[in-house]
């Protein structure tokens, strides 16, 4: 049912989130919470095309047609996840736009660690994971989409779905997890969203101030520090059923994954990759 919540997952408090996130001179301009949306990314891209300002935040209690990478879909129980998208209009070289998803990931990891004590990490290019005895569980996914409809006013929407209150049986796949499953069920979604927005704003301000240079702004070092893909053997599934096996040696200044394989080192952008899996 639309807008239905359990007693343990109160609805998002727009006023409280706005009070915490929106301030004069800051990045965030407005926060809207809707009962239900197909995809907050899709809805915010449409608003970007209509001229919505940078700093627009859209969250929903129930996302019915969420979008992952490469058109993969997902849904979540009403009130159980933190599902939102933000609109930014960065004046940086296009080659650096790949840092926006990692930026949201870094902000999410920092917020989750600080507020819940859960030791979240990142998987390149766009997953927040929680290490465990049986492997790493996916806590959140991130998707960035660009609006090029106005060549003079680029818009980028960055969306995230973070599993908060789902029980094990409510998760879509066995490789997923939630804050509740990880023992942090008391964490409120309002506080989490406010913390992620604050963390993203801090990193975004430094990054745009450095002209999109993630090395100068400190974002690249932070990301590499919490990205567990780096240093591992990987099997990279590429379009056309091609497979690249090698070692992930790093992430370059355009947020591309560097993989050393039989043919030497290759730089892979998120758009070039179908899956990155641990090597044998």
């Amino acid at each position: 049912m639309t807008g239905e919540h359990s007693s343990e997952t109160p609805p998002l408090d727009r006023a409280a989130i706005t009070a915490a996130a929106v301030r004069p001179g800051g990045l965030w301009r407005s926060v809207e919470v809707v009962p239900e949306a197909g995809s907050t990314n899709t809805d915010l891209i449409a608003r970007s095309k209509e001229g919505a300002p940078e700093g627009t935040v859209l969250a929903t209690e129930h996302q019915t047609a969420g979008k992952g990478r490469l058109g993969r879909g997902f849904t979540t129980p009403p009130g159980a996840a933190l599902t939102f998208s933000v609109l930014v209009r960065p004046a940086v070289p296009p080659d650096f736009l790949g840092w926006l998803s990692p930026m949201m990931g870094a902000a999410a990891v920092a917020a989750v660690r600080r507020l819940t004590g859960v030791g979240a990490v990142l998987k390149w290019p766009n997953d927040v994971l929680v290490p465990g005895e049986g492997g790493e569980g996916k806590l959140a996914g991130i998707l960035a989409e660009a609006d090029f409809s106005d060549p003079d006013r680029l818009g980028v929407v960055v969306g995230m779905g973070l599993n908060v209150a789902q029980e094990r049986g409510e998760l879509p796949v066995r490789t997923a997890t939630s804050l509740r499953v990880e023992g942090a069920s008391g964490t409120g979604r309002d506080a989490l969203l406010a913390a992620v927005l604050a963390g993203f704003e801090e990193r975004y301000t430094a990054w745009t101030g450095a002209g999109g240079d993630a090395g100068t702004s400190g974002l690249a070092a932070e990301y590499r520090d919490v990205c567990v893909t780096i240093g591992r053997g990987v099997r990279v599934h590429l379009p056309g059923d091609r497979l690249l096996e090698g070692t992930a040696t790093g992430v370059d200044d355009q947020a591309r994954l560097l993989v050393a394989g039989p043919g030497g080192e290759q730089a892979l952008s998120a758009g070039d990759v179908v899956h990155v899996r641990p090597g044998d």
Side-chain angles (χ1 to χ4, degrees):
M1 292 174 59
T2 301
E4 183 178 280
H5 294 81
S6 77
S7 60
E8 296 177 81
T9 56
L12 288 166
D13 185 336
R14 175 185 172 277
I17 299 164
T18 299
V22 179
R23 57 185 176 79
L27 173 62
W28 306 118
R29 299 278 295 274
S30 65
V31 176
E32 182 179 354
V33 178
V34 296
E36 184 174 294
S39 160
T40 54
N41 260 34
T42 297
D43 291 352
L44 203 49
I45 282 284
R47 295 188 191 190
S48 176
K49 294 178 187 298
E50 295 166 358
E54 176 174 73
T56 301
V57 180
L58 177 64
T60 187
E61 296 290 0
H62 186 204
Q63 184 159 260
T64 59
K67 295 198 301 185
R69 289 182 61 245
L70 307 174
R72 302 180 189 120
F74 65 93
T75 59
T76 52
L82 179 57
T83 309
F84 70 98
S85 299
V86 304
L87 170 62
V88 291
R89 299 189 181 278
V92 303
D95 285 349
F96 293 153
L97 293 175
W99 279 106
L100 286 165
S101 280
M103 183 184 301
M104 181 65 81
V109 163
V112 167
R113 288 182 176 185
R114 180 169 62 84
L115 293 182
T116 73
V118 172
V121 295
L122 294 175
K123 171 190 171 185
W124 187 93
N126 67 335
D127 289 344
V128 181
L129 307 180
V130 180
E133 292 182 3
E136 287 145 349
K138 181 175 175 177
L139 184 67
I142 298 163
L143 179 67
E145 298 181 89
D147 165 27
F148 294 109
S149 60
D150 182 345
D152 298 320
R153 201 162 184 255
L154 169 73
V156 181
V157 169
V158 188
M160 181 166 70
L162 191 155
N163 297 327
V164 177
Q166 293 99 318
E167 301 285 0
R168 173 66 68 189
E170 294 178 309
L171 294 165
V173 293
R174 62 176 180 79
T175 52
T177 191
S178 71
L179 291 176
R180 170 168 287 174
V181 168
E182 298 298 330
S185 59
T187 301
R189 293 181 301 152
D190 295 344
L192 267 173
L193 179 51
V196 173
L197 292 176
F200 185 91
E201 178 176 7
E202 178 183 349
R203 291 160 178 82
Y204 182 79
T205 301
W207 177 72
T208 53
D213 187 326
T216 300
S217 74
L219 176 61
E222 179 188 14
Y223 180 80
R224 292 169 184 143
D225 187 52
V226 296
C227 178
V228 296
T229 308
I230 298 171
R232 289 186 172 179
V234 293
R235 304 176 78 240
V236 183
H237 295 258
L238 300 166
D241 293 327
R242 291 175 298 136
L243 184 67
L244 171 63
E245 296 187 89
T247 300
T249 57
V251 173
D252 72 5
D253 61 0
Q254 296 180 33
R256 298 178 301 184
L257 183 68
L258 302 176
V259 177
E265 190 172 74
Q266 293 190 43
L268 304 170
S269 69
D272 295 332
V273 170
V274 179
H275 284 296
V276 177
R277 302 196 187 283
D280 295 330

